[in-house]
């Protein structure tokens, strides 16, 4: 009896295929189309991981041009006849679902996919659905900027309508700062290979002010909700507590399950459920960020994908396989929707000070792996590397996943991984590197 065929669109930014492919291959024949855009060392690791699909009877197709991923996935689907198409990275998830929908497979409808990818459309849909949203204006031209200087309220947040990893997200303190910030953000977006092809507009949003009472015991004033959506119904798998942000909006990590008591996030979960229905989401994994404001929780954004580190964290904290369950949904099979946590898992991404910084001292990956609680090391900024806070969360000093039996162990580990501590940096010159 032949096994069900599954097509995976793989790209940097989501869980690594070495994490998710082994369990998929035990249940499916897997074809992989992968975006081959990483530096040599990372490329070698990804290539070796996806090759397991070919060794198990599937096919593997490398694509070096991000704009060619759509046609490559479509060709493999037409030739292989996969019964489901799945993706875990933000760089390819919307393409994968659009092709799945066109083929009559499980996916979100086209309008929902557009809303999930474009923050302009998402704000409008949330407001139309009766949810509280920040005011927003679109700044496509210098004329738009000049009008906003005269009319907008400050401080405000400047961000691309289509973005990744908080790139080109700036807090604009006063009207005089808007034009320089807009020009800088425009240059960043236009040179970023992940999003430049979308030519996204820049948005100026009302700043969401967090509730100081929500930022207690080392936690930030926002959280995220991880869910699987089945037939239009979101099933919450976990609530992740966030560590406080570094300026302007750079993430230092998150912990699941939530550390705060359930009564503190119950309203946030209700808002997220409402948001899914307002956006017309009917299928798949979602990662929704929520600001905890004095007037109640407000959706920052709903992402139609898994949170980047969430699959690994769920596996470590609860033995739950999110990629496998999403793949099952993609081919029309039932998924496990109940998660039983045994411990905590954290994704830690400590940030350097704001601006351009040169790394002067850093630990090695083996040194980090030897620390109690470290489960995996995904990245360590090398001595001599230049980190730019304008790159958003990608400016981090390191990316590790850790596990712990108590919250105090998580906080103790996080405190020693950044600067000062494991790293030291100094100011760099103001000339910005191109983001690869």
């Amino acid at each position: 009896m032949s096994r069900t065929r599954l097509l995976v669109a793989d790209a940097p930014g989501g869980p690594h295929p070495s994490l998710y492919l082994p369990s998929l291959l035990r249940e499916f024949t897997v074809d992989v189309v992968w975006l081959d855009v990483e530096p040599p060392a990372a490329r070698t690791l990804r290539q070796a991981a996806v090759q397991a699909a070919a060794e198990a009877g599937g096919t593997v197709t490398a694509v070096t041009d991000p704009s060619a991923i759509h046609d490559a996935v479509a060709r493999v689907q037409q030739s292989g006849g996969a019964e489901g198409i799945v993706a875990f990275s933000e760089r390819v998830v919307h393409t994968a679902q659009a092709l799945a929908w066109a083929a009559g497979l499980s996916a979100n409808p086209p309008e929902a996919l557009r809303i999930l990818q474009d923050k302009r459309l998402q704000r409008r849909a949330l407001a139309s659905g009766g949810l509280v949203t920040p005011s927003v204006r679109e700044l496509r031209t210098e004329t738009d900027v000049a009008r906003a200087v005269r009319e907008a309220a400050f401080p405000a947040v400047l961000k691309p309508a289509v973005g990744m990893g908080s790139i080109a997200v700036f807090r604009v303190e006063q009207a005089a700062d808007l034009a320089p910030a807009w020009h800088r953000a425009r240059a960043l977006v236009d040179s970023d290979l992940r999003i430049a092809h979308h030519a996204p507009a820049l948005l100026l949003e009302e700043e969401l002010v967090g509730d100081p009472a929500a930022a207690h015991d080392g936690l930030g004033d926002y959280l995220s909700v991880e869910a699987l959506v089945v037939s239009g119904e979101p099933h919450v798998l976990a609530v992740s507590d966030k560590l406080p942000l570094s300026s302007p909006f750079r993430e230092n990590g998150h912990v699941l399950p939530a550390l705060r008591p359930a009564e503190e996030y119950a309203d946030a979960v209700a808002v997220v459920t409402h948001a899914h229905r307002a956006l017309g989401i009917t299928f798949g994994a979602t990662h929704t960020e929520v600001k905890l404001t004095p007037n109640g929780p407000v959706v920052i954004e709903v992402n139609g994908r898994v949170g980047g580190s969430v699959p690994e964290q769920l596996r470590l904290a609860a033995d739950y396989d999110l990629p496998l369950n999403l793949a099952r949904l993609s081919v029309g099979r039932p998924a496990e929707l109940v998660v039983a946590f045994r411990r905590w898992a954290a994704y830690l991404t400590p940030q350097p000070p704001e601006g351009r910084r040169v790394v002067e001292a850093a630990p090695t990956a083996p040194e980090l792996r030897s620390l109690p609680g470290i489960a995996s090391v995904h990245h360590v900024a090398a001595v001599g590397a230049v980190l730019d806070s304008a790159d958003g969360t990608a400016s981090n000093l390191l990316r590790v996943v850790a596990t712990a039996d108590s919250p105090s162990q998580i906080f103790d580990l996080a405190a020693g991984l950044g600067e000062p501590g494991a790293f030291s940096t100094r100011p760099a010159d103001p000339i910005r590197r191109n983001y690869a």
Side-chain angles (χ1 to χ4, degrees), residues 98-256:
L99 289 167
W101 178 269
L105 305 175
S106 297
N108 278 300
E111 181 59 22
L113 292 177
R114 286 189 289 271
I115 288 171
L116 284 167
Q117 191 167 33
D118 191 320
K119 295 180 180 67
R120 298 169 304 166
L121 302 178
Q122 189 169 132
R123 289 287 185 233
R124 293 173 195 163
L126 290 172
S128 296
L131 285 102
V132 174
T133 61
S135 61
V136 60
R137 60 174 67 213
E138 188 174 329
L139 307 183
R140 284 197 174 273
T141 67
E142 293 185 356
T143 300
D144 297 331
V145 174
R147 183 178 300 113
V149 167
R150 296 191 303 269
E151 300 174 357
F154 295 90
V157 179
L158 185 69
K159 62 174 68 172
V162 179
M164 295 183 190
S166 301
I167 187 170
V169 179
F170 296 103
R171 186 175 191 266
V172 184
E173 188 71 33
Q174 56 189 353
D177 299 333
L178 179 57
W182 183 84
H183 283 288
R184 188 179 186 203
R186 187 75 267 165
L188 288 166
V189 168
D190 291 345
S191 64
D192 190 285
L193 298 179
R194 300 169 300 173
I195 59 176
H197 59 288
H198 293 293
L202 292 176
L203 307 179
L204 188 69
E205 287 192 348
E206 171 191 0
E207 183 179 34
L208 290 174
V209 178
D211 184 355
H216 59 76
D217 298 316
L219 301 177
D221 57 12
Y222 73 123
L223 51 78
S224 65
V225 178
E226 326 302 337
L228 271 180
V229 184
V230 183
S231 301
E233 185 66 30
H235 298 264
V236 174
L237 304 177
V239 174
S240 300
D241 261 322
K242 301 282 191 171
L243 302 183
L245 290 168
S246 289
S247 181
F249 298 97
R250 293 175 295 152
E251 296 197 16
N252 282 287
H254 59 266
V255 185
L256 64 76

Side-chain angles (χ1 to χ4, degrees), residues 321-334:
D321 194 329
L322 176 53
L324 177 59
N325 281 290
L326 179 56
R328 288 169 175 166
L329 289 178
S330 298
V331 301
R333 294 181 183 173

Side-chain angles (χ1 to χ4, degrees), residues 264-276:
E264 286 192 24
Y265 60 75
D267 287 346
V269 170
V271 165
V272 169
T273 298
H274 187 175
H276 278 64

Side-chain angles (χ1 to χ4, degrees), residues 184 247-248 250 352-357 386-390 395 427-428:
R184 188 179 186 203
S247 181
R250 293 175 295 152
E354 190 170 6
R356 283 173 51 82
R357 309 286 298 188
V386 179
L387 306 177
D388 190 342
S389 61
S395 70

